Amino acid sequence: MIDFFTGLTPAMQALVATLFTWGMTAVGAALVFTSKNLNQKVYDGMLGFAGGVMIAASFWSLIAPALEMASEDSSLPPWIPAAVGFMLGGLFLWGADKVIPHIHPSSSSNQAEGMGTKNKRRSTLLVFAITLHNIPEGLAVGVAFGAVANGTSTESLAGAVALAIGIGIQNFPEGLAVSMPLRGEGMSRRKAFFYGQLSGMVEPIAAVLGVLAVTLIDPLLPYALCFAAGAMIFVVAEEVIPGSQEKGNKDFASMCLMIGFTVMMILDVALG
């Protein structure tokens, strides 16, 4: 299995890795078949854990390698590509939040964001929300495998796999975040599961695009890594952390965030 995976092209490696992350979204969504509701404290803890994984992945798997790559290019101070890419990633998600109609799982229907929300069903808006926030995760995996393909000394195949594993772990509550609210509103279990897993479909697409971009245009790599990091941090700050703490479980969610950060850090350092 390992030999088979290492023999694949970078684009195929990224595709396989994000099919795994998509699968984890589906596993989370599948919990709708076992229960109509999930304990709020458990859900908040899962969100906090996911936020910790995303924060750790943003630094250890994306920003740190980007800084090392940029330092090898003496034409610019290494912080410039990192800062530019990071801010562009956050601005991209901020702009997408303003344009794409969506609603956060914990929000009421009148709190929908984006354009044209009045004509959209809540189920559609929920899927759009998680799909939008899965874009940087797929992109992050793609550019990580693209870095391996470019033969950089700061990125390894094991590190890219560790990132995919971390993203997959935190995708579990994301599928749940769509399917459970839909089930609670009366949707059938099958439909709730379908919409929950559907939100992860964008990750393989974003990953392949990320690989192609950085392999075709090598100087983009530090910017692309930090772009993905900035987009993920925006998601954490704008939705994941607030969503995990607004129901009164702040301390528990914060500790779960610490655990998530630690798990992802260990994965990246041990495997990368």
Side-chain angles (χ1 to χ4, degrees):
M1 181 64 72
I2 294 176
D3 291 339
F4 168 76
F5 186 76
T6 55
L8 297 174
T9 64
M12 285 302 298
Q13 289 174 341
L15 178 62
V16 170
T18 46
L19 287 175
F20 161 74
T21 64
W22 180 11
M24 289 298 292
T25 304
V27 171
L31 288 186
V32 76
F33 291 110
T34 65
S35 175
K36 187 173 182 178
N37 297 296
L38 182 69
N39 180 278
Q40 187 64 48
K41 187 172 184 178
V42 172
Y43 177 67
D44 290 344
M46 292 170 69
L47 275 184
F49 183 89
V53 169
M54 293 174 75
I55 293 171
S58 296
F59 178 75
W60 295 100
S61 299
L62 300 170
I63 296 176
L67 285 169
E68 293 187 40
M69 293 172 196
S71 67
E72 297 173 1
D73 182 2
S74 59
S75 62
L76 287 174
W79 58 266
I80 290 181
V84 171
F86 185 82
M87 290 304 300
L88 285 176
L91 288 171
F92 170 77
L93 257 292
W94 175 80
D97 254 10
K98 300 298 182 185
V99 175
I100 298 176
H102 66 283
I103 188 170
H104 302 307
S106 59
S107 301
S108 59
S109 297
N110 60 1
Q111 293 177 305
E113 302 175 21
M115 301 172 64
T117 58
K118 291 183 179 180
N119 300 321
K120 302 289 190 302
R121 293 182 178 181
R122 180 177 174 84
S123 59
T124 303
L125 295 173
L126 280 169
V127 174
F128 279 176
I130 303 300
T131 300
L132 171 64
H133 294 164
N134 278 343
I135 292 174
E137 297 165 11
L139 183 62
V141 175
V143 295
F145 280 99
V148 177
N150 285 5
T152 62
S153 60
T154 56
E155 190 64 82
S156 68
L157 181 60
V161 170
L163 175 60
I165 293 172
I167 295 296
I169 291 171
Q170 68 89 38
N171 272 2
F172 182 84
E174 289 191 349
L176 192 64
V178 177
S179 63
M180 282 296 187
L182 294 180
R183 176 59 182 158
E185 292 175 7
M187 184 176 286
S188 70
R189 295 181 191 274
R190 288 186 178 182
K191 278 191 173 181
F193 167 74
F194 174 77
Y195 283 119
Q197 64 81 32
L198 185 66
S199 63
M201 186 181 295
V202 72
E203 290 194 6
I205 300 170
V208 172
L209 291 176
V211 170
L212 294 177
V214 299
T215 52
L216 292 175
I217 311 174
D218 182 66
L220 279 181
L221 189 49
Y223 295 91
L225 287 166
C226 291
F227 180 94
M232 285 209 294
I233 291 297
F234 181 89
V235 171
V236 173
E238 194 261 349
E239 180 184 352
V240 176
I241 292 178
S244 71
Q245 299 190 351
E246 61 187 12
K247 300 296 184 180
N249 296 312
K250 292 184 177 181
D251 290 344
F252 181 69
S254 297
M255 286 308 303
C256 288
L257 184 146
M258 299 288 290
I259 294 170
F261 184 97
T262 302
V263 168
M264 185 63 221
M265 179 180 64
I266 292 171
L267 272 175
D268 193 87
V269 175
L271 297 181

